[in-house]
Amino acid sequence: INVWTGDTLTTASVFYQIMDFPDIKELFFVGANGKIGNAVCQLLFKHRPDLKIRVLSRYQSMKHPNISYTENLSEMLDYEVVLVGKILPGRKYDQALKNSSTPGKTRLVLDYSVPFIPLHFRKHKQIRHIQIGLLESTNKQFLQGPFDVCMSHEQNHIYPCHACCILNTVIGRDTNETGEIVLDDVERYWDIAESYGLKNRNISKLL
C-alpha cells in the first residue's frame, strides 16, 4: 500500500497561480512554514530571486535573505498581495485590522487553505478574498461523474491533492508521496496534470 498526500500538485497549482501575476515584487504569507508553503517559497525564489516575502509566524523556520518574519497580522495591509495557506478565524483578521487608520495597500488575499472559508473585510472594501489551489477539469473523458460535489466546488472543479492521487493511480505510481515535497517533481506533475486537461481555476473574472 502506497501513501499519497497529493501535496505535489497542490504546490504546483499555488506556484503557477502566483507566477500568473508577473508584477508581484513582494507578498505577505500566512502559512508559509507548512511544507507546501515552504516549497512554494523555494520555487518562487528560484524563478524570481528578487521577490520579498513577509511571513506571519513566531517560528522562523526558513532562513533566506528575502524572507522576514512578523507576529503582527496587521502588517498585511502593507502588501498588495497576501497569500494564505493556513486557516485563521475571521475574528483574528477583524481584530488585527480594526484600528487601521488608512485603507492600506492590500487588494488581493489569495487563499489555498482547505476548506475555503470566505473572509469579509467590511472596513476594507477594496480587499478581494479569492480561492486558489483549485483545478478546473476540461477533459470530460478523464473525470466523469459527481467528483466535484463533495467539497462544494463549482461544477468540473477539483482540489489538486485529490486530482494528484487520481493521477498517481492512472500513471501507476508505486512509491509513497509523503514527507518533504520533491521540487523536481512539481513541474513534472504540472505537465502531467495539463496533459489530462487540468488547469488552474480562472480567477481573472474575480479580480
Side-chain angles (χ1 to χ4, degrees):
I1 297 176
N2 297 122
V3 178
W4 302 324
T5 62
D7 289 339
T8 304
L9 193 55
T10 300
T11 299
S13 174
V14 174
F15 166 66
Y16 283 106
Q17 196 93 70
I18 299 302
M19 291 298 289
D20 283 341
F21 293 85
D23 297 328
I24 292 180
K25 300 294 190 295
E26 59 181 7
L27 58 84
F28 191 89
F29 201 156
V30 178
N33 284 341
K35 69 175 183 177
I36 292 173
N38 189 303
V40 168
C41 287
Q42 292 184 61
L43 289 166
L44 287 173
F45 288 138
K46 177 181 177 181
H47 292 268
R48 294 185 181 174
D50 295 329
L51 180 70
K52 307 293 185 183
I53 299 179
R54 186 72 161 165
V55 176
L56 179 72
S57 179
R58 182 178 303 166
Y59 175 53
Q60 302 185 13
S61 66
M62 292 183 286
K63 308 300 180 184
H64 191 282
N66 288 10
I67 291 180
S68 59
Y69 284 85
T70 180
E71 296 179 42
N72 187 356
L73 181 57
S74 66
E75 287 187 28
M76 65 177 275
L77 289 177
D78 295 332
Y79 297 80
E80 289 189 15
V81 177
V82 176
L83 183 59
V84 176
K86 176 182 179 180
I87 295 174
L88 296 180
R91 57 182 168 77
K92 287 203 169 185
Y93 288 94
D94 292 340
Q95 290 169 358
L97 305 183
K98 68 180 180 180
N99 294 323
S100 60
S101 57
T102 63
K105 296 181 180 179
T106 308
R107 296 296 178 269
L108 296 175
V109 175
L110 304 175
D111 191 343
Y112 65 90
S113 57
V114 177
F116 176 74
I117 302 174
L119 297 172
H120 305 285
F121 298 97
R122 294 180 178 85
K123 284 188 60 179
H124 301 273
K125 303 292 187 182
Q126 80 281 5
I127 299 178
R128 306 297 302 276
H129 183 215
I130 298 174
Q131 181 181 24
I132 64 170
L134 185 62
L135 301 180
E136 180 182 357
S137 174
T138 63
N139 184 344
K140 303 296 185 182
Q141 301 305 313
F142 176 56
L143 287 177
Q144 302 179 46
F147 64 88
D148 49 13
V149 299
C150 64
M151 299 294 284
S152 301
H153 298 144
E154 294 180 25
Q155 189 174 7
N156 298 321
H157 287 73
I158 186 171
Y159 279 127
C161 56
H162 185 184
C164 190
C165 294
I166 294 173
L167 290 174
N168 282 337
T169 301
V170 172
I171 67 177
R173 177 168 179 159
D174 60 0
T175 57
N176 291 332
E177 186 205 5
T178 56
E180 295 302 312
I181 292 164
V182 180
L183 297 183
D184 290 342
D185 283 348
V186 173
E187 186 173 355
R188 182 171 68 87
Y189 264 80
W190 190 246
D191 289 341
I192 294 171
E194 288 189 318
S195 74
Y196 281 96
L198 295 167
K199 63 180 184 179
N200 268 331
R201 170 194 186 213
N202 182 7
I203 64 172
S204 61
K205 61 185 178 182
L206 303 174
L207 301 179

